[in-house]
Amino acid sequence: LAENAAFWSLVLSRLILSRRERQVYDGLKRPPEAIVSWLLGRIAAKDAVRLHTASDLCMATIHWGRH
């Protein structure tokens, strides 16, 4: 599970995270399952923004957190 989780979280991170978020992601020092949880939280938050604003923004263009 850990190997698959690490691979797919890396793939997802490149699709949905902004450049700064990818830097945070790349610096995370957590078990793969915790990283997947962090990433899924980002996906949920960004999707909520898209639904709330009724926009077709790409998730990578939605910045979440301090920038």
Side-chain angles (χ1 to χ4, degrees):
L1 174 65
E3 290 176 14
N4 288 335
F7 172 77
W8 287 111
S9 64
L10 179 64
V11 171
L12 281 174
S13 74
R14 297 314 185 239
L15 293 172
I16 63 157
L17 297 178
S18 68
R19 181 175 292 148
R20 285 194 180 184
E21 289 171 317
R22 284 194 307 269
Q23 290 172 342
V24 171
Y25 169 86
D26 290 340
L28 290 175
K29 305 290 187 226
R30 299 178 183 175
E33 292 81 4
I35 292 173
V36 170
S37 180
W38 179 88
L39 188 57
L40 292 175
R42 292 286 173 157
I43 292 170
K46 288 175 177 232
D47 202 35
V49 168
R50 288 176 3 141
L51 290 172
H52 181 72
T53 61
S55 70
D56 288 334
L57 290 173
C58 174
M59 285 193 180
T61 62
I62 300 171
H63 300 282
W64 195 261
R66 289 185 271 175
H67 297 288

